[in-house]
Amino acid sequence: MKRSLSAAALVAVAAVAFAGCSTGESGQESSEGGRGPITYAQGKDTSGELQRIVDAWNADHPDEKVTFVELPESADDQRTAFVQDFQAGAGAYDVAGLDVVWTGEFAARKWLLPLDDIDTSALFESTVASGSYDGTLYAAPFNTNAGFLYYRTDLLPTPPTTWAELDAACDVATQAGIGCYGGQFAQYEGLTVNFSEAVNSAGGAVVDENGDASLDTPEAAAALQHMVDGFTSGRTPAEAITYQEEEGRRAFQQGNLLFLRNWPYVHGLASEEGEDSVIQGKFGIAPLPGLDGPGASTLGGYNLAVSKATDNPETAKDFIRYMLTEDVQRKVLTEMSGAPTVSALYDDPALQEQVPYLATLKSALEEAVPRPQAVAYSELSHLVSTQVYSALQGKTSVEDTLASLQKDMQKLIDESADK
């Protein structure tokens, strides 16, 4: 059945059509051996570097040129464009830059080609896991991300490594007249990430290795109880119930928090001089604390996948191999302010001097855990954020919240598997 494409997808199709004459059903010139021009689609590149990286490929591959298609900045709009293109088999996107949480859904729906012939030995194992589904690699990790614990070095000489140490340090915050700990606690994907990190850092998992819900465990109970206790004890300021990334960043930069859980991008902004930050030179970064030792961050980033509808899969795979080279990955860090997936770059002394948090980021990535590879991840995340938010507000108990989540998540997982 013919399906209509969204506005974003139609724009991309038009871009491909005007890029050159086409002979294949997808609108691309195809040649023997699965080689020829392709398109690469990803969310908006605010650095401007991606086009230059593509241009360098094109200069060396005049018969296999890549057209870079920028999708909207919104992750939801990107996902809509990909879903509609893949469902229709339109072939507008040969290589797709996917949010790490989409791999499971897209692979399960058989929209992506397996990439087991891509060498990932130089990449972080955690990032490779984020692009795998049911034991097969479907999306190669291009850039990544992990959460940090930011802390005030002028108030605390060393960062906590456990929840108990963090709780004890809150006395310092009280004496300084500031809040102790902030994270992402509003009802959205960020809360799902923070809850997942807490469960993982207690030794548990939101979804187990078999793909089933795993919240009826002591580890999940300890994780949610610690989050709830943060609000009831005052360790987490009451206003943090509305925090997304930016609200927490501003509170920390303005000197109102001792600790903040956030992503690496905060480091540069908090270091800038001006009215927006009063803590230049007064903060450090560390791995997230856990129940009995250092915790585990949730993994973020973009992975590169090949559409099953492509006419030129060999070119698409070679382009992905190019994007994973050390030269391109170095530019991810130095030109795009992103986190590369090639682990050796994190040990480069010159890069460590240029990016002060590089060693800490490496430690975080080595222990990071991908978000659940669920076919219905968006629905699963909504369940988690909605019910955990209710617990943080004190509307439902920890026990009742986890029992409800376990039941509702397993039902969603079972229904998704039957489709």
Side-chain angles (χ1 to χ4, degrees), residues 192-236:
T192 299
V193 167
N194 278 237
F195 174 68
S196 297
E197 286 175 340
V199 175
N200 294 330
S201 296
V206 175
V207 174
D208 67 20
E209 59 185 12
N210 297 317
D212 293 321
S214 183
L215 293 178
D216 53 352
T217 65
E219 293 82 5
L224 183 56
Q225 189 66 61
H226 189 254
M227 294 177 71
V228 170
D229 289 347
F231 282 94
T232 56
S233 69
R235 177 182 73 239
T236 302

mmCIF file of all heavy atoms in Angstrom, residues 192-236:
data_model
loop_
_atom_site.group_PDB
_atom_site.id
_atom_site.type_symbol
_atom_site.label_atom_id
_atom_site.label_comp_id
_atom_site.label_asym_id
_atom_site.label_seq_id
_atom_site.Cartn_x
_atom_site.Cartn_y
_atom_site.Cartn_z
ATOM 1 N N THR A 192 13.540 9.424 32.453
ATOM 2 C CA THR A 192 13.779 8.016 32.149
ATOM 3 C C THR A 192 15.273 7.715 32.214
ATOM 4 O O THR A 192 15.691 6.685 32.756
ATOM 5 C CB THR A 192 13.235 7.658 30.757
ATOM 6 O OG1 THR A 192 11.821 7.896 30.729
ATOM 7 C CG2 THR A 192 13.498 6.203 30.410
ATOM 8 N N VAL A 193 16.078 8.620 31.670
ATOM 9 C CA VAL A 193 17.539 8.452 31.696
ATOM 10 C C VAL A 193 18.044 8.447 33.134
ATOM 11 O O VAL A 193 18.829 7.580 33.534
ATOM 12 C CB VAL A 193 18.227 9.566 30.881
ATOM 13 C CG1 VAL A 193 19.728 9.600 31.153
ATOM 14 C CG2 VAL A 193 17.956 9.376 29.399
ATOM 15 N N ASN A 194 17.615 9.410 33.949
ATOM 16 C CA ASN A 194 18.082 9.483 35.331
ATOM 17 C C ASN A 194 17.653 8.269 36.138
ATOM 18 O O ASN A 194 18.429 7.738 36.948
ATOM 19 C CB ASN A 194 17.568 10.767 35.997
ATOM 20 C CG ASN A 194 18.401 11.991 35.680
ATOM 21 O OD1 ASN A 194 18.918 12.668 36.562
ATOM 22 N ND2 ASN A 194 18.539 12.306 34.406
ATOM 23 N N PHE A 195 16.431 7.799 35.928
ATOM 24 C CA PHE A 195 15.964 6.603 36.623
ATOM 25 C C PHE A 195 16.745 5.373 36.172
ATOM 26 O O PHE A 195 17.167 4.552 37.001
ATOM 27 C CB PHE A 195 14.470 6.406 36.372
ATOM 28 C CG PHE A 195 13.924 5.110 36.926
ATOM 29 C CD1 PHE A 195 13.841 4.897 38.295
ATOM 30 C CD2 PHE A 195 13.509 4.091 36.075
ATOM 31 C CE1 PHE A 195 13.351 3.698 38.813
ATOM 32 C CE2 PHE A 195 13.011 2.898 36.572
ATOM 33 C CZ PHE A 195 12.935 2.696 37.942
ATOM 34 N N SER A 196 16.970 5.244 34.878
ATOM 35 C CA SER A 196 17.737 4.108 34.365
ATOM 36 C C SER A 196 19.144 4.094 34.946
ATOM 37 O O SER A 196 19.676 3.040 35.315
ATOM 38 C CB SER A 196 17.809 4.160 32.832
ATOM 39 O OG SER A 196 16.527 4.054 32.256
ATOM 40 N N GLU A 197 19.759 5.282 35.022
ATOM 41 C CA GLU A 197 21.098 5.374 35.606
ATOM 42 C C GLU A 197 21.100 4.935 37.067
ATOM 43 O O GLU A 197 22.028 4.254 37.519
ATOM 44 C CB GLU A 197 21.628 6.799 35.484
ATOM 45 C CG GLU A 197 22.042 7.166 34.068
ATOM 46 C CD GLU A 197 22.460 8.602 33.910
ATOM 47 O OE1 GLU A 197 22.099 9.430 34.758
ATOM 48 O OE2 GLU A 197 23.154 8.905 32.912
ATOM 49 N N ALA A 198 20.056 5.331 37.804
ATOM 50 C CA ALA A 198 19.983 4.947 39.212
ATOM 51 C C ALA A 198 19.850 3.432 39.354
ATOM 52 O O ALA A 198 20.515 2.814 40.195
ATOM 53 C CB ALA A 198 18.806 5.658 39.886
ATOM 54 N N VAL A 199 18.998 2.827 38.538
ATOM 55 C CA VAL A 199 18.820 1.367 38.594
ATOM 56 C C VAL A 199 20.116 0.654 38.210
ATOM 57 O O VAL A 199 20.562 -0.277 38.895
ATOM 58 C CB VAL A 199 17.658 0.913 37.679
ATOM 59 C CG1 VAL A 199 17.562 -0.612 37.638
ATOM 60 C CG2 VAL A 199 16.335 1.512 38.153
ATOM 61 N N ASN A 200 20.735 1.097 37.116
ATOM 62 C CA ASN A 200 21.997 0.491 36.689
ATOM 63 C C ASN A 200 23.089 0.677 37.740
ATOM 64 O O ASN A 200 23.908 -0.216 37.978
ATOM 65 C CB ASN A 200 22.464 1.104 35.366
ATOM 66 C CG ASN A 200 21.535 0.775 34.217
ATOM 67 O OD1 ASN A 200 20.900 -0.265 34.196
ATOM 68 N ND2 ASN A 200 21.451 1.679 33.238
ATOM 69 N N SER A 201 23.100 1.841 38.390
ATOM 70 C CA SER A 201 24.133 2.149 39.391
ATOM 71 C C SER A 201 23.910 1.398 40.699
ATOM 72 O O SER A 201 24.809 1.368 41.555
ATOM 73 C CB SER A 201 24.172 3.657 39.657
ATOM 74 O OG SER A 201 24.550 4.361 38.483
ATOM 75 N N ALA A 202 22.740 0.813 40.850
ATOM 76 C CA ALA A 202 22.463 -0.045 42.012
ATOM 77 C C ALA A 202 22.706 -1.520 41.686
ATOM 78 O O ALA A 202 22.484 -2.388 42.533
ATOM 79 C CB ALA A 202 21.024 0.157 42.484
ATOM 80 N N GLY A 203 23.124 -1.784 40.440
ATOM 81 C CA GLY A 203 23.398 -3.160 40.034
ATOM 82 C C GLY A 203 22.253 -3.856 39.341
ATOM 83 O O GLY A 203 22.323 -5.063 39.086
ATOM 84 N N GLY A 204 21.193 -3.094 39.018
ATOM 85 C CA GLY A 204 20.034 -3.690 38.363
ATOM 86 C C GLY A 204 19.938 -3.306 36.906
ATOM 87 O O GLY A 204 20.900 -2.828 36.297
ATOM 88 N N ALA A 205 18.753 -3.515 36.340
ATOM 89 C CA ALA A 205 18.494 -3.169 34.947
ATOM 90 C C ALA A 205 17.012 -2.896 34.784
ATOM 91 O O ALA A 205 16.180 -3.527 35.446
ATOM 92 C CB ALA A 205 18.916 -4.294 34.008
ATOM 93 N N VAL A 206 16.677 -1.942 33.928
ATOM 94 C CA VAL A 206 15.269 -1.655 33.646
ATOM 95 C C VAL A 206 14.667 -2.783 32.814
ATOM 96 O O VAL A 206 13.544 -3.222 33.045
ATOM 97 C CB VAL A 206 15.130 -0.301 32.915
ATOM 98 C CG1 VAL A 206 13.682 -0.044 32.509
ATOM 99 C CG2 VAL A 206 15.625 0.833 33.805
ATOM 100 N N VAL A 207 15.427 -3.247 31.829
ATOM 101 C CA VAL A 207 15.047 -4.392 30.998
ATOM 102 C C VAL A 207 16.205 -5.378 31.039
ATOM 103 O O VAL A 207 17.361 -5.000 30.852
ATOM 104 C CB VAL A 207 14.759 -3.959 29.541
ATOM 105 C CG1 VAL A 207 14.522 -5.165 28.654
ATOM 106 C CG2 VAL A 207 13.556 -3.025 29.498
ATOM 107 N N ASP A 208 15.922 -6.657 31.286
ATOM 108 C CA ASP A 208 17.006 -7.623 31.446
ATOM 109 C C ASP A 208 17.551 -8.093 30.100
ATOM 110 O O ASP A 208 17.096 -7.666 29.040
ATOM 111 C CB ASP A 208 16.555 -8.812 32.305
ATOM 112 C CG ASP A 208 15.477 -9.675 31.652
ATOM 113 O OD1 ASP A 208 15.309 -9.630 30.412
ATOM 114 O OD2 ASP A 208 14.788 -10.404 32.394
ATOM 115 N N GLU A 209 18.525 -8.991 30.134
ATOM 116 C CA GLU A 209 19.202 -9.445 28.918
ATOM 117 C C GLU A 209 18.285 -10.216 27.982
ATOM 118 O O GLU A 209 18.601 -10.390 26.810
ATOM 119 C CB GLU A 209 20.402 -10.304 29.283
ATOM 120 C CG GLU A 209 20.059 -11.523 30.101
ATOM 121 C CD GLU A 209 21.282 -12.295 30.554
ATOM 122 O OE1 GLU A 209 22.406 -11.765 30.427
ATOM 123 O OE2 GLU A 209 21.121 -13.435 31.046
ATOM 124 N N ASN A 210 17.147 -10.678 28.494
ATOM 125 C CA ASN A 210 16.174 -11.375 27.655
ATOM 126 C C ASN A 210 15.127 -10.442 27.065
ATOM 127 O O ASN A 210 14.226 -10.880 26.349
ATOM 128 C CB ASN A 210 15.471 -12.473 28.460
ATOM 129 C CG ASN A 210 16.431 -13.553 28.924
ATOM 130 O OD1 ASN A 210 17.294 -13.988 28.163
ATOM 131 N ND2 ASN A 210 16.284 -13.971 30.177
ATOM 132 N N GLY A 211 15.241 -9.137 27.395
ATOM 133 C CA GLY A 211 14.301 -8.165 26.875
ATOM 134 C C GLY A 211 13.037 -8.010 27.693
ATOM 135 O O GLY A 211 12.076 -7.378 27.248
ATOM 136 N N ASP A 212 13.017 -8.582 28.900
ATOM 137 C CA ASP A 212 11.835 -8.493 29.768
ATOM 138 C C ASP A 212 12.006 -7.399 30.812
ATOM 139 O O ASP A 212 13.143 -7.056 31.197
ATOM 140 C CB ASP A 212 11.602 -9.834 30.481
ATOM 141 C CG ASP A 212 11.202 -10.941 29.523
ATOM 142 O OD1 ASP A 212 10.422 -10.656 28.593
ATOM 143 O OD2 ASP A 212 11.671 -12.085 29.699
ATOM 144 N N ALA A 213 10.888 -6.864 31.285
ATOM 145 C CA ALA A 213 10.923 -5.859 32.348
ATOM 146 C C ALA A 213 11.592 -6.448 33.585
ATOM 147 O O ALA A 213 11.401 -7.625 33.914
ATOM 148 C CB ALA A 213 9.509 -5.388 32.663
ATOM 149 N N SER A 214 12.375 -5.621 34.279
ATOM 150 C CA SER A 214 13.153 -6.116 35.424
ATOM 151 C C SER A 214 13.130 -5.107 36.565
ATOM 152 O O SER A 214 14.179 -4.737 37.104
ATOM 153 C CB SER A 214 14.594 -6.401 34.982
ATOM 154 O OG SER A 214 15.353 -6.948 36.031
ATOM 155 N N LEU A 215 11.928 -4.698 36.950
ATOM 156 C CA LEU A 215 11.801 -3.687 37.991
ATOM 157 C C LEU A 215 11.247 -4.223 39.302
ATOM 158 O O LEU A 215 11.052 -3.465 40.252
ATOM 159 C CB LEU A 215 10.928 -2.525 37.487
ATOM 160 C CG LEU A 215 11.562 -1.716 36.346
ATOM 161 C CD1 LEU A 215 10.610 -0.633 35.875
ATOM 162 C CD2 LEU A 215 12.887 -1.105 36.773
ATOM 163 N N ASP A 216 10.996 -5.542 39.364
ATOM 164 C CA ASP A 216 10.545 -6.152 40.609
ATOM 165 C C ASP A 216 11.756 -6.713 41.356
ATOM 166 O O ASP A 216 11.780 -7.882 41.776
ATOM 167 C CB ASP A 216 9.513 -7.239 40.343
ATOM 168 C CG ASP A 216 9.988 -8.280 39.331
ATOM 169 O OD1 ASP A 216 11.061 -8.078 38.722
ATOM 170 O OD2 ASP A 216 9.285 -9.296 39.153
ATOM 171 N N THR A 217 12.775 -5.854 41.532
ATOM 172 C CA THR A 217 14.043 -6.279 42.125
ATOM 173 C C THR A 217 14.442 -5.350 43.264
ATOM 174 O O THR A 217 14.034 -4.183 43.303
ATOM 175 C CB THR A 217 15.172 -6.267 41.070
ATOM 176 O OG1 THR A 217 15.398 -4.909 40.655
ATOM 177 C CG2 THR A 217 14.815 -7.127 39.867
ATOM 178 N N PRO A 218 15.273 -5.833 44.190
ATOM 179 C CA PRO A 218 15.772 -4.958 45.264
ATOM 180 C C PRO A 218 16.582 -3.782 44.715
ATOM 181 O O PRO A 218 16.565 -2.688 45.300
ATOM 182 C CB PRO A 218 16.652 -5.894 46.094
ATOM 183 C CG PRO A 218 16.171 -7.273 45.790
ATOM 184 C CD PRO A 218 15.704 -7.235 44.358
ATOM 185 N N GLU A 219 17.301 -4.006 43.609
ATOM 186 C CA GLU A 219 18.115 -2.931 43.025
ATOM 187 C C GLU A 219 17.250 -1.791 42.515
ATOM 188 O O GLU A 219 17.554 -0.613 42.731
ATOM 189 C CB GLU A 219 18.972 -3.484 41.892
ATOM 190 C CG GLU A 219 20.051 -4.453 42.321
ATOM 191 C CD GLU A 219 19.542 -5.874 42.527
ATOM 192 O OE1 GLU A 219 18.356 -6.141 42.240
ATOM 193 O OE2 GLU A 219 20.347 -6.722 42.977
ATOM 194 N N ALA A 220 16.156 -2.125 41.835
ATOM 195 C CA ALA A 220 15.245 -1.086 41.343
ATOM 196 C C ALA A 220 14.602 -0.343 42.503
ATOM 197 O O ALA A 220 14.425 0.883 42.463
ATOM 198 C CB ALA A 220 14.190 -1.703 40.436
ATOM 199 N N ALA A 221 14.249 -1.089 43.562
ATOM 200 C CA ALA A 221 13.640 -0.464 44.740
ATOM 201 C C ALA A 221 14.622 0.497 45.408
ATOM 202 O O ALA A 221 14.244 1.610 45.807
ATOM 203 C CB ALA A 221 13.188 -1.538 45.719
ATOM 204 N N ALA A 222 15.884 0.089 45.526
ATOM 205 C CA ALA A 222 16.889 0.961 46.146
ATOM 206 C C ALA A 222 17.092 2.219 45.316
ATOM 207 O O ALA A 222 17.249 3.323 45.862
ATOM 208 C CB ALA A 222 18.209 0.199 46.292
ATOM 209 N N ALA A 223 17.071 2.073 43.987
ATOM 210 C CA ALA A 223 17.280 3.210 43.095
ATOM 211 C C ALA A 223 16.166 4.231 43.218
ATOM 212 O O ALA A 223 16.411 5.430 43.412
ATOM 213 C CB ALA A 223 17.392 2.715 41.655
ATOM 214 N N LEU A 224 14.925 3.790 43.110
ATOM 215 C CA LEU A 224 13.808 4.728 43.168
ATOM 216 C C LEU A 224 13.675 5.319 44.566
ATOM 217 O O LEU A 224 13.360 6.509 44.710
ATOM 218 C CB LEU A 224 12.505 4.034 42.751
ATOM 219 C CG LEU A 224 11.275 4.936 42.698
ATOM 220 C CD1 LEU A 224 11.506 6.137 41.782
ATOM 221 C CD2 LEU A 224 10.047 4.150 42.224
ATOM 222 N N GLN A 225 13.936 4.510 45.594
ATOM 223 C CA GLN A 225 13.848 5.038 46.957
ATOM 224 C C GLN A 225 14.844 6.166 47.171
ATOM 225 O O GLN A 225 14.531 7.180 47.804
ATOM 226 C CB GLN A 225 14.106 3.919 47.969
ATOM 227 C CG GLN A 225 13.818 4.327 49.407
ATOM 228 C CD GLN A 225 12.339 4.603 49.635
ATOM 229 O OE1 GLN A 225 11.488 3.726 49.458
ATOM 230 N NE2 GLN A 225 12.004 5.832 50.020
ATOM 231 N N HIS A 226 16.051 6.013 46.619
ATOM 232 C CA HIS A 226 17.062 7.064 46.773
ATOM 233 C C HIS A 226 16.631 8.339 46.057
ATOM 234 O O HIS A 226 16.853 9.451 46.567
ATOM 235 C CB HIS A 226 18.412 6.588 46.244
ATOM 236 C CG HIS A 226 19.532 7.518 46.566
ATOM 237 N ND1 HIS A 226 20.123 8.337 45.628
ATOM 238 C CD2 HIS A 226 20.167 7.797 47.747
ATOM 239 C CE1 HIS A 226 21.067 9.053 46.198
ATOM 240 N NE2 HIS A 226 21.124 8.749 47.476
ATOM 241 N N MET A 227 16.008 8.194 44.891
ATOM 242 C CA MET A 227 15.524 9.371 44.178
ATOM 243 C C MET A 227 14.406 10.057 44.957
ATOM 244 O O MET A 227 14.388 11.284 45.093
ATOM 245 C CB MET A 227 15.048 8.968 42.783
ATOM 246 C CG MET A 227 16.140 8.480 41.857
ATOM 247 S SD MET A 227 15.502 7.942 40.236
ATOM 248 C CE MET A 227 15.037 9.535 39.519
ATOM 249 N N VAL A 228 13.465 9.268 45.475
ATOM 250 C CA VAL A 228 12.341 9.825 46.245
ATOM 251 C C VAL A 228 12.858 10.485 47.516
ATOM 252 O O VAL A 228 12.436 11.600 47.881
ATOM 253 C CB VAL A 228 11.319 8.715 46.574
ATOM 254 C CG1 VAL A 228 10.288 9.223 47.581
ATOM 255 C CG2 VAL A 228 10.631 8.240 45.302
ATOM 256 N N ASP A 229 13.780 9.824 48.198
ATOM 257 C CA ASP A 229 14.327 10.386 49.444
ATOM 258 C C ASP A 229 15.017 11.722 49.199
ATOM 259 O O ASP A 229 15.066 12.572 50.096
ATOM 260 C CB ASP A 229 15.330 9.407 50.067
ATOM 261 C CG ASP A 229 14.667 8.172 50.664
ATOM 262 O OD1 ASP A 229 13.442 8.190 50.817
ATOM 263 O OD2 ASP A 229 15.393 7.199 50.965
ATOM 264 N N GLY A 230 15.549 11.898 47.995
ATOM 265 C CA GLY A 230 16.186 13.167 47.688
ATOM 266 C C GLY A 230 15.242 14.335 47.842
ATOM 267 O O GLY A 230 15.623 15.397 48.357
ATOM 268 N N PHE A 231 14.000 14.141 47.408
ATOM 269 C CA PHE A 231 13.014 15.231 47.519
ATOM 270 C C PHE A 231 12.452 15.339 48.933
ATOM 271 O O PHE A 231 12.250 16.444 49.439
ATOM 272 C CB PHE A 231 11.890 15.011 46.505
ATOM 273 C CG PHE A 231 12.272 15.399 45.104
ATOM 274 C CD1 PHE A 231 12.769 14.450 44.216
ATOM 275 C CD2 PHE A 231 12.166 16.714 44.666
ATOM 276 C CE1 PHE A 231 13.138 14.808 42.930
ATOM 277 C CE2 PHE A 231 12.540 17.083 43.381
ATOM 278 C CZ PHE A 231 13.033 16.122 42.515
ATOM 279 N N THR A 232 12.190 14.203 49.587
ATOM 280 C CA THR A 232 11.597 14.268 50.926
ATOM 281 C C THR A 232 12.596 14.791 51.959
ATOM 282 O O THR A 232 12.209 15.467 52.921
ATOM 283 C CB THR A 232 11.091 12.884 51.353
ATOM 284 O OG1 THR A 232 12.161 11.932 51.294
ATOM 285 C CG2 THR A 232 9.951 12.424 50.454
ATOM 286 N N SER A 233 13.896 14.534 51.753
ATOM 287 C CA SER A 233 14.907 14.982 52.711
ATOM 288 C C SER A 233 15.384 16.400 52.433
ATOM 289 O O SER A 233 16.022 17.024 53.293
ATOM 290 C CB SER A 233 16.111 14.045 52.672
ATOM 291 O OG SER A 233 16.819 14.178 51.443
ATOM 292 N N GLY A 234 15.123 16.900 51.227
ATOM 293 C CA GLY A 234 15.619 18.209 50.832
ATOM 294 C C GLY A 234 16.967 18.158 50.147
ATOM 295 O O GLY A 234 17.513 19.201 49.758
ATOM 296 N N ARG A 235 17.556 16.945 50.021
ATOM 297 C CA ARG A 235 18.817 16.821 49.299
ATOM 298 C C ARG A 235 18.679 17.368 47.882
ATOM 299 O O ARG A 235 19.570 18.039 47.358
ATOM 300 C CB ARG A 235 19.243 15.354 49.245
ATOM 301 C CG ARG A 235 20.529 15.117 48.443
ATOM 302 C CD ARG A 235 20.885 13.634 48.379
ATOM 303 N NE ARG A 235 19.998 12.891 47.503
ATOM 304 C CZ ARG A 235 19.255 11.865 47.861
ATOM 305 N NH1 ARG A 235 19.256 11.447 49.111
ATOM 306 N NH2 ARG A 235 18.482 11.248 46.987
ATOM 307 N N THR A 236 17.556 17.073 47.260
ATOM 308 C CA THR A 236 17.222 17.627 45.948
ATOM 309 C C THR A 236 16.220 18.759 46.153
ATOM 310 O O THR A 236 15.156 18.532 46.737
ATOM 311 C CB THR A 236 16.607 16.547 45.037
ATOM 312 O OG1 THR A 236 17.537 15.467 44.902
ATOM 313 C CG2 THR A 236 16.282 17.109 43.674
#
